Amino acid sequence: MTVPVERVLEQIIGTMQFVQRPTARATYGSVSWCLWLLGLHPNPFVSQQQTPESRVVVRRYGGRMYDRFAVSVQAEPRDRKSWIDLARRLESAGYDALLAPDHLGSGASPFVALAAAAAVTDRIGVGSCVSQAGIRNPLMLASDVATLDVVSDGRARLGLGAGHTPIEWAMLGECRPGVDDRVARFIEVAHACRRLLDGQTVTVDSEYLRLVNASLTQPRRCQQHVPLTVGTSNIAMLEWAARNADVVSMTGFGRTLADGHSHVVRWSDGHIDQQVNVIDYHAETSRNVVTKDALVQFVEVTADAEAAANRLGETHGVNPGDLLTSPYAWLGTVDEIVDGILRNRARWGISRYTIREQHLDAVDAIRIRWESLPSVAAAGGRRKSVDGC
């Protein structure tokens, strides 16, 4: 039997996602170029852009595009009243989810806070954004998520990342591993969490994780499937997420800086094109349906977007031109920002966004304008449904 060469190469790439060493990643690059030369792989350095004419078609007939637009809010509690008020505000305004960061030692416990928010809401999703796989035990993490799913009547989400803040390891008496090791640990933790939440018994004995006949007999999640969001800009993690996750949250973060919190940013169109091509290729070859989300860092409604971009660029070390075109920053008038969201959807397929709480007032105005678009108004707004217990 003759096996087509493209099928062999696809199998090689599928295997490479589990090997996170520099040699393997170099091999992946070579294989990718072979596929590209055969016309079977998008060139990772050339954007698969739509033409202006195709964008017009998307906007004219893009009811689905409008309907899929969703905004979640990342926040953490300062006191009981403001936290409860925030949850109720998001629920009544039609936001998609309330998400909480997960940084041990420097922030609130996300699952305790989200359980409190779930108790005063009925519709919005609740989840971490994102839990740190480098130091989180997957059995304990899966138990927290399953419990949150029970008390929220099936609205929990699992958000995972590889982690980057050195002090979070240092407080546990450990050193932060290198990038390859963090990615390998992330993949094993993510697989284990998914299997545990699906009711499986998990045994793992590897360099990065050890579990022995681990299982969740109680509590059992309400949803048939707890959605997994992966937050990353790492290429190897984007590959894995495209094949296995429900949502890929693109962060635009590069190398962590010396303070342990800030990052080199990768906000240029070229960087985003490369990441989106990786996501699209691996989602398509694995037949996984994955949604793209972007973590919005700046929102400023202004009549002078260029001035805002110049000011923010100087303060934060970002190219002002990238700020004006990036999905990670919303700058301009409300109409200009909405047009930018439409362009992001047409070019990169980004249909979800996560914003910070401090930008909520500005985003309220943007969402009101979005809801007035003809396709949204004709559809009567978005629909949200979850499986109950």
Side-chain angles (χ1 to χ4, degrees):
M1 179 178 68
T2 303
V3 179
V5 64
E6 62 266 30
R7 181 60 181 162
V8 174
L9 291 171
E10 285 183 10
Q11 289 296 321
I12 293 172
I13 283 192
T15 303
M16 296 305 297
Q17 67 173 313
F18 298 105
V19 185
Q20 305 302 331
R21 298 298 181 187
T23 301
R25 299 220 310 243
T27 304
Y28 164 76
S30 300
V31 173
S32 297
W33 279 112
C34 290
L35 283 174
W36 175 62
L37 290 171
L38 289 169
L40 300 169
H41 187 286
N43 182 345
F45 302 104
V46 177
S47 169
Q48 308 297 307
Q49 298 178 31
Q50 293 178 306
T51 64
E53 291 77 13
S54 68
R55 292 179 190 173
V56 171
V57 172
V58 168
R59 292 188 64 171
R60 181 177 301 169
Y61 301 105
R64 290 182 183 178
M65 172 178 67
Y66 296 157
D67 296 343
R68 290 179 60 196
F69 175 73
V71 180
S72 298
V73 178
Q74 184 192 66
E76 56 184 323
R78 298 180 299 276
D79 56 72
R80 179 185 180 279
K81 184 179 185 305
S82 64
W83 183 246
I84 296 303
D85 288 346
L86 174 64
R88 287 172 171 159
R89 174 182 178 180
L90 300 184
E91 172 103 342
S92 64
Y95 282 86
D96 188 58
L98 173 58
L99 308 175
D102 189 3
H103 292 290
L104 292 180
S106 61
S109 169
F111 300 104
V112 175
L114 293 167
V120 297
T121 56
D122 297 308
R123 183 195 56 78
I124 57 170
V126 284
S128 57
C129 182
V130 289
S131 291
Q132 212 262 60
I135 59 175
R136 283 286 190 180
N137 177 287
L139 180 58
M140 298 175 67
L141 181 57
S143 178
D144 284 341
V145 174
T147 303
L148 179 61
D149 203 49
V150 169
V151 300
S152 67
D153 195 23
R155 292 181 280 140
R157 301 177 182 186
L158 171 59
L160 272 179
H164 60 86
T165 308
I167 194 172
E168 294 180 359
W169 279 272
M171 289 190 295
L172 298 176
E174 302 175 11
C175 292
R176 185 186 69 169
V179 173
D180 291 340
D181 289 330
R182 296 204 305 274
V183 171
R185 160 83 182 187
F186 160 83
I187 290 174
E188 296 205 5
V189 169
H191 271 306
C193 284
R194 290 293 289 266
R195 293 177 63 196
L196 288 164
L197 287 168
D198 286 342
Q200 300 180 37
T201 298
V202 180
T203 295
V204 181
D205 188 4
S206 73
E207 178 184 353
Y208 304 104
L209 183 64
R210 180 172 172 78
L211 293 172
V212 180
N213 294 325
S215 63
L216 280 180
T217 56
Q218 290 292 334
R220 296 297 298 275
R221 80 282 187 269
C222 297
Q223 301 175 85
Q224 287 189 340
H225 171 77
V226 175
L228 170 63
T229 296
V230 174
T232 189
S233 60
N234 176 277
I235 294 298
M237 285 180 61
L238 289 173
E239 295 169 7
W240 185 92
R243 291 178 175 272
N244 297 277
D246 300 283
V247 178
V248 179
S249 184
M250 301 166 59
T251 64
F253 295 157
R255 176 176 52 85
T256 306
L257 298 178
D259 65 2
H261 297 278
S262 304
H263 300 263
V264 172
V265 297
R266 295 173 177 168
W267 288 12
S268 71
D269 287 0
H271 278 121
I272 300 170
D273 287 339
Q274 179 186 8
Q275 293 177 18
V276 166
N277 287 340
V278 168
I279 295 168
D280 289 346
Y281 172 74
H282 285 275
E284 181 177 354
T285 57
S286 64
R287 299 175 183 257
N288 184 41
V289 178
V290 67
T291 300
K292 300 187 196 81
D293 173 276
L295 179 61
V296 181
Q297 302 291 330
F298 304 114
V299 179
E300 186 172 328
V301 176
T302 173
D304 193 342
E306 289 190 8
N310 288 331
R311 172 171 42 80
L312 290 169
E314 183 176 356
T315 303
H316 298 280
V318 184
N319 184 308
D322 293 341
L323 281 165
L324 291 172
T325 60
S326 165
Y328 310 120
W330 291 357
L331 307 177
T333 65
V334 168
D335 283 341
E336 287 172 343
I337 292 172
V338 168
D339 282 345
I341 293 168
L342 290 169
R343 287 194 301 272
N344 297 341
R345 177 64 180 89
R347 177 170 182 172
W348 293 311
I350 298 171
S351 57
R352 288 178 178 265
Y353 292 88
T354 300
I355 67 157
R356 314 284 194 188
E357 180 187 2
Q358 63 263 34
H359 300 140
L360 192 52
D361 289 341
V363 175
D364 277 343
I366 295 166
R367 290 185 66 254
I368 290 171
R369 178 68 185 95
W370 181 275
E371 297 293 341
S372 72
L373 292 173
S375 289
V376 179
R382 296 184 315 278
R383 295 179 296 172
K384 173 71 176 179
S385 61
V386 295
D387 296 324
C389 289

